[in-house]
Amino acid sequence: MALGLGTLALGCLIWLPFAMLLHPLLPRRIGQPLGRFVARIGFRGYLGVLSALCACRFDLDELDQLRDAGPLVLAANHPSLLDAVLVLARVPNTVCVMKADLMDNLLFGAAARLARFIRNDAPLAMTLDAGEELDRGARLLIFPEGTRTTAFPVDPCLATAGLIARRSQVPVQALLIEFSTPYLGKHWPLFRRPTLPLRCRIRLGRRFNPPQDVAAFAAELESHFRAELGPPWPSTVARPACSRARNAH
């Protein structure tokens, strides 16, 4: 765990001064593809370290089918902090909708701004920025739950993905992310020891046409996630609650 998190932090620190300097200096047409390329290569290297030294096993081959798929809204469930890293490492020219506090984070913010990732704190601006990226041919990664999953297998889905897809008239590709344990999930503290080996798989779910009724689409997407993901890791999810109960006595 220490080696894995340390590698990620070190990589971000190495790129940080370059990203901070290049963001105001480079025009968007140069800085944006550079930022996304460095993020993809850096995350691929990070996953390589996790695979070689940290007993992590990643099955991400199905994502390679999206390389030449054109503009898509990639709607993924969100079990772990690693989810965006996994997708960005394998799918080129992908822009991520990120929490505003991560965009302002000292470690990640400069790289995210150089790559022109999208903040989620202003809904109208987020929708317009997402549409512009899709018009340029990018893939847009969004987590319809709005945050990491708290009630597995999936929390209620928001209408944002459907709204963006309807406005831009691009399909929505569901991504099904599965972990062997809920490592770095909503209720997994950052420094809690993982259960190894850690296995992760991403499958391609259903591809939806641009919706007309975004509320109905959100419900349909949630139903698809529930049908495909199924119940997860009952013992590991229940463990924190059991520990609190024991401590209360």
Side-chain angles (χ1 to χ4, degrees), residues 89-108:
R90 293 295 284 256
V91 185
N93 194 23
T94 297
V95 58
C96 185
V97 176
M98 294 181 64
K99 281 190 173 182
D101 57 352
L102 285 178
M103 292 287 287
D104 296 331
N105 183 277
L106 177 63
L107 199 60
F108 305 113

Side-chain angles (χ1 to χ4, degrees), residues 41-168:
I41 297 302
F43 287 150
R44 284 184 75 102
Y46 171 58
L47 296 182
V49 170
L50 294 182
S51 298
L53 303 178
C54 302
C56 296
R57 306 291 178 259
F58 302 106
D59 181 359
L60 310 176
D61 290 346
E62 290 194 23
L63 290 176
D64 294 339
Q65 299 177 34
L66 303 177
R67 290 173 181 251
D68 302 312
L72 289 169
V73 175
L74 305 179
N77 61 305
H78 198 6
S80 170
L81 281 174
L82 292 176
D83 301 335
V85 171
L86 300 173
V87 177
L88 293 171
R90 293 295 284 256
V91 185
N93 194 23
T94 297
V95 58
C96 185
V97 176
M98 294 181 64
K99 281 190 173 182
D101 57 352
L102 285 178
M103 292 287 287
D104 296 331
N105 183 277
L106 177 63
L107 199 60
F108 305 113
R113 291 190 293 272
L114 179 62
R116 270 45 176 211
F117 290 169
I118 299 172
R119 303 172 66 97
N120 74 344
D121 56 346
L124 178 58
M126 177 187 69
T127 302
L128 294 174
D129 290 344
E132 290 178 3
E133 290 295 340
L134 291 166
D135 289 342
R136 296 188 187 103
R139 266 75 71 174
L140 178 81
L141 175 61
I142 188 169
F143 299 104
E145 297 165 88
T147 186
R148 281 172 291 162
T149 308
T150 56
F152 287 92
V154 67
D155 289 333
C157 290
L158 305 176
T160 313
L163 181 63
I164 293 170
R166 184 180 69 178
R167 184 181 181 278
S168 301

